Amino acid sequence: MLEADVAIVGAGAAGLSLAHRLACPAPGTRRLSVLLVDAPPGPLRPPRRTWCFWERGRGRYDAALTAAWRHLRVHTPGGRMIEDDIAPLRYKMIRSDDFEDLIGHDLARSEEVQRLQATVETVEGITDGAHVHTRAVDGRPLTVRARWVFDSRPLGSLPAARTTLLQHFHGWFVHCDRPVFDPGTVELMDFRTPQPPRGLSFGYVLPTGDRQALVEYTEFSPEVLSRQGYEAALRHYTEDVLGLTGLEVVATETGVIPMTDAPFARQTAPSVFRIGAAGGATRPSTGYTFAAVQRQTRAVASALAAGRRPLPPPAHSARSRAMDAVMLRALDSGRVDGADFFARLFTRVPMERLLRFLDGRTRLHEDLSVGMRTPVLPMLRSAAELPYLPRRPFPGP
């Protein structure tokens, strides 16, 4: 049996972020032994992915950034272009491989954090702690005893919800033999794509140079597409909408992010907590997760350093979650046109303020101001019926 003060299950964004914060304790704070349990190479490892977020100035992980931008652009369904400078914010892109390399370099020099490669089978709460039952790479059973356990593994199924949509996407990392991209501007939402019967779709362009970019097709809808469906949508977007030809696809990424008003349990036993997407870090209205993971893990690390009970805080405020529930219901019921809904917001609200709103960083009067720029009657009707809607399990994508 291995023993540690803290065991972290899973080495995705949340697990690595918490381990990194605990690896560098501030002078004079408690020093804790930490064991990071990472799945062996195989299907239990998270796929390579790209995370985007926004923040003021320099950040903790800037050394791993692929790119950062101050200018964002949105195209309405009718083709109107909206462009804005989001200063003092910067929109940042980080790839999981670069993030893992940066964190791994720092963890390798830490005396507090040790890494274990093993498959976690169960996490069992015990008196004053928990047991993490694992199977080592060679097949041997191995148990970790820890005072506190933070589990970041994806949930096997989603909690029951009144509304659940899926944000699903397929992206191409492309290279062109001539300059075709504006490296200073992100195409955040391009609604000049064919819209699905329920939800919305848009194109997304993250230029990493004048010849390279990540180009994605994204839908918010109840069901995912086939691989052929995503490829056809991306060909239409790059060729017919953007007018790009001769692109070389050097890599791809695909993902599915639940957008749900389901409540996520942040504690499963007295000493066992969930962090990351499993702990509700994904913003229901947008699918963004990385910034909320940083807030959550920062709070946990501070509590541990101070000797307090380290229950992860809610990743998003109750007011934000309530507004998201209304928006999801309005989209899913068809009361609002999804593309028109978001285009209307970007047309009427400065992008910097809208990004703060989407990150839950606005004050009440700003939230009310944004709300008044949505289709008020359909939103009020959706809000009025929410208390009467049953919560049902989601069957899965």
Side-chain angles (χ1 to χ4, degrees), residues 29-43:
T29 59
R30 300 177 67 211
R31 306 185 76 85
L32 302 168
S33 58
V34 181
L35 190 64
L36 175 62
V37 185
D38 190 10

Side-chain angles (χ1 to χ4, degrees), residues 13-14 53 63 79 109-110 115 146-147 172 179 188 195 203 210 222 244 293 324 349 357-358 375 380 386 396:
F53 58 102
R109 299 183 299 169
S110 170
R115 303 188 73 162
R147 176 66 185 93
W172 290 342
L188 186 68
Q195 297 299 312
D210 58 8
L244 303 177
V293 162
D324 287 354
V349 182
F357 171 79
L358 295 176
L380 288 176
L386 278 177

Side-chain angles (χ1 to χ4, degrees), residues 53-60 62 65 68 88-90 92:
F53 58 102
W54 49 89
E55 63 183 348
R56 289 173 174 261
R58 290 193 54 80
R60 184 181 182 91
D62 276 8
L65 293 181
L89 300 178
R90 295 172 72 212
K92 299 183 177 184

